Amino acid sequence: VQLQASGGGLVQAGDSLRLSCAATGRTFSSYAMAWFRQAPGEEREFVAAIHWDGVGTYYADSVKGRFAISRDNAKNTVYLEMNSLKPEDTAVYYCAARYFTYSLYPQDYDYWGQGTLVTVSS
């Protein structure tokens, strides 16, 4: 599976942004998908995940109620809708794929996108 993340940019606090992650290669619908982020000097942290069938979704407490993950298996794409953005959301956002089930831990994921930078100004 090859993953290509896009949609990052510079926004102001309170704005919204939608990230996309397009997948090519093996059967996309067999994979749980997740978004992680990494701020400068910080470890990569879990943001959100979605089951292979799109039924189950999971969020870090820091983004719950503000971010929404979704997927379109017909388009081989996963999305992260980010609302009410805060300066502390500033990071490089990565999409990741893991066969069948999700995990909170980046080391459990099999495939990674290249990352897209989100910068939120105050």
Side-chain angles (χ1 to χ4, degrees), residues 6-55:
S6 62
L10 172 63
V11 297
Q12 293 187 331
D15 285 351
S16 298
L17 205 58
R18 188 175 82 156
L19 306 182
S20 299
C21 176
T24 58
R26 293 177 182 264
T27 307
F28 174 74
S29 60
S30 298
Y31 287 81
M33 299 296 297
W35 288 94
F36 288 79
R37 66 187 181 186
Q38 188 166 17
E42 302 290 332
E43 293 187 352
R44 194 166 297 189
E45 66 171 358
F46 172 82
V47 176
I50 187 166
H51 265 310
W52 64 272
D53 59 1
V55 173

Side-chain angles (χ1 to χ4, degrees), residues 25-95:
R26 293 177 182 264
T27 307
F28 174 74
S29 60
S30 298
Y31 287 81
M33 299 296 297
W35 288 94
F36 288 79
R37 66 187 181 186
Q38 188 166 17
E42 302 290 332
E43 293 187 352
R44 194 166 297 189
E45 66 171 358
F46 172 82
V47 176
I50 187 166
H51 265 310
W52 64 272
D53 59 1
V55 173
T57 56
Y58 309 90
Y59 298 94
D61 288 343
S62 59
V63 307
K64 201 171 294 183
R66 299 189 298 122
F67 289 13
I69 188 171
S70 61
R71 67 189 295 161
D72 185 338
N73 286 346
K75 295 182 178 180
N76 285 4
T77 303
V78 63
Y79 305 97
L80 185 68
E81 187 74 37
M82 305 185 294
N83 300 307
S84 302
L85 282 161
K86 304 175 181 180
E88 51 264 43
D89 294 319
T90 295
V92 177
Y93 284 71
Y94 298 90
C95 57

Side-chain angles (χ1 to χ4, degrees), residues 94-109:
Y94 298 90
C95 57
R98 183 173 191 257
Y99 183 71
F100 197 63
T101 63
Y102 87 103
S103 169
L104 300 179
Y105 306 104
Q107 61 267 30
D108 292 338
Y109 283 78

